[in-house]
Amino acid sequence: MLIAHAERYVALRQALGFKLREVSMNIRAFAKFATARGDTHVRVSTAVDWATQGSSPNVRYIRLRDVVQFGRFLHAENPAHEVPVNLFHFTRRRRLPYIYAPEELEKLVEAANHLRLTYPLRREVYATMFGLIAATGLRVSEALNLGLGDIMPGGILRIRNAKNGKSRLVPLHPTAVTAINRYLEARCQMAVTDDHVFLSAGGRRIASSTVGSTFHRVMRLAGIAPARTRKPRIVDLRHSFATRALVQCPTRREAVARHFVALATYMGHTDIASTYWYLEATPELLTDIAAAAEALIATTEGI
């Protein structure tokens, strides 16, 4: 019975537009666990026991959080279902990004052009992809999912079904347009049926794991931050774009508001708080904030 309820719950929420990739796995796993115990309804004790099997405090929190939502859904239909209280604490610490200097980005693209030629388009693929992410702040998945039809006239990228199912248009700088057009000239000579812009050796969409390992190889070739214990990541290209954009933000209050909204929209943030997080990413931004706060306090005291 619980397994059928789980499938109905997942199907209903997905029909409403939620992807529920991890949530669906958790709900189905819980339903199987509870059914194996002989439960026909959501029970607090069973939910806690199942969540406790998680590998870390955060995993246990997420497991029980998903069951709490599932329990509320079923309890609304039948009070015999119990609604657990989440006993676990979630601690989220976002790792501060590595901000690439402009000369490091140049080295990165140049190093990609010296990769071992395991297939004809490999160097052009990675040099263009890494340069595009750095110039636009795209998520890696968004770059990998680009189709030829998503390169629109006028230097516009169409990002379809990105994070949280959102889509958006991303205008490109003229230099990025030149680079992508140069790449497409070589790309369109490939005799493949796959529509993806960036192709693997097999002529298909590149796996995220392959991009990650290739990026680390390019980083070594470029000699970027070799002494760091925590190596810069490919996602830091996106972070670098955001922080550089904020450094150029005007200081007038109304201009700052417009700048933040524009950046959040450009990067595909669903919550403006995701954009605010970048304020703490560079010393320049924190210095500007402190100076603005001091100026505001001085003005207030003079009133």
Side-chain angles (χ1 to χ4, degrees):
M1 182 180 294
L2 272 177
I3 293 176
H5 283 320
E7 293 300 329
R8 181 168 61 90
Y9 171 76
V10 169
L12 176 61
R13 293 197 63 191
Q14 287 178 334
L16 294 173
F18 296 96
K19 291 185 177 180
L20 298 186
R21 290 170 182 165
E22 293 183 4
V23 173
S24 63
M25 290 189 293
N26 281 342
I27 295 301
R28 286 166 176 150
F30 166 73
K32 291 179 181 178
F33 179 87
T35 299
R37 280 192 166 193
D39 293 349
T40 57
H41 296 77
V42 175
R43 297 286 177 242
V44 169
S45 58
T46 301
V48 172
D49 289 346
W50 176 75
T52 303
Q53 294 180 0
S55 58
S56 70
N58 285 354
V59 171
R60 293 191 280 274
Y61 171 88
I62 291 169
R63 279 185 164 210
L64 196 50
R65 177 202 64 189
D66 294 342
V67 177
V68 168
Q69 294 174 346
F70 180 49
R72 287 173 181 163
F73 171 80
L74 294 178
H75 182 79
E77 298 178 337
N78 183 352
H81 292 282
E82 299 174 358
V83 181
V85 174
N86 204 331
L87 306 175
F88 303 105
H89 180 62
F90 180 76
T91 55
R92 183 180 182 185
R93 295 185 180 90
R94 294 187 69 171
R95 175 179 165 183
L96 283 178
Y98 179 87
I99 306 303
Y100 295 91
E103 57 270 19
E104 289 179 324
L105 296 176
E106 293 177 6
K107 287 181 181 179
L108 189 70
V109 173
E110 180 61 25
N113 281 313
H114 289 85
L115 282 167
R116 190 159 57 92
L117 207 58
T118 54
Y119 66 97
L121 207 60
R122 188 182 188 219
R123 292 172 178 171
E124 291 87 346
V125 162
Y126 288 104
T128 307
M129 184 194 304
F130 296 156
L132 183 65
I133 294 172
T136 61
L138 291 184
R139 299 179 178 93
V140 176
S141 60
E142 293 171 349
L144 293 178
N145 289 334
L146 281 174
L148 293 176
D150 296 323
I151 312 295
M152 303 173 66
I156 305 292
L157 293 184
R158 178 174 56 199
I159 308 300
R160 294 174 290 118
N161 298 320
K163 190 174 182 180
N164 298 313
K166 300 292 184 180
S167 299
R168 69 187 190 280
L169 299 178
V170 175
L172 298 178
H173 188 275
T175 56
V177 174
T178 300
I180 196 74
N181 286 341
R182 184 169 58 246
Y183 167 77
L184 289 176
E185 289 179 5
R187 160 69 176 81
C188 290
Q189 294 177 17
M190 300 292 292
V192 294
T193 57
D194 194 287
D195 184 60
H196 286 96
V197 171
F198 299 113
L199 298 175
S200 66
R204 298 183 178 86
R205 180 191 185 278
I206 306 173
S208 299
S209 58
T210 302
V211 175
S213 60
T214 304
F215 179 78
H216 291 304
R217 188 172 296 114
V218 170
M219 287 288 290
R220 288 194 297 271
L221 288 173
I224 297 174
R228 283 178 61 94
T229 303
R230 284 189 169 184
K231 300 300 182 184
R233 306 160 298 169
I234 188 170
V235 71
D236 290 331
L237 295 175
R238 173 174 166 86
H239 297 329
S240 296
F241 170 83
T243 52
R244 298 297 178 200
L246 288 177
V247 165
Q248 299 172 24
C249 180
T251 56
R252 300 187 313 279
R253 181 176 299 181
E254 69 280 3
V256 169
R258 289 196 299 269
H259 196 89
F260 262 88
V261 171
L263 181 60
T265 303
Y266 190 89
M267 298 189 69
H269 290 157
T270 56
D271 186 348
I272 195 68
S274 299
T275 315
Y276 287 147
W277 176 73
Y278 290 108
L279 285 172
E280 64 185 70
T282 61
E284 295 97 325
L285 292 176
L286 291 177
T287 301
D288 289 345
I289 293 169
E294 289 178 3
L296 178 61
I297 293 171
T299 302
T300 303
E301 289 176 346
I303 295 176

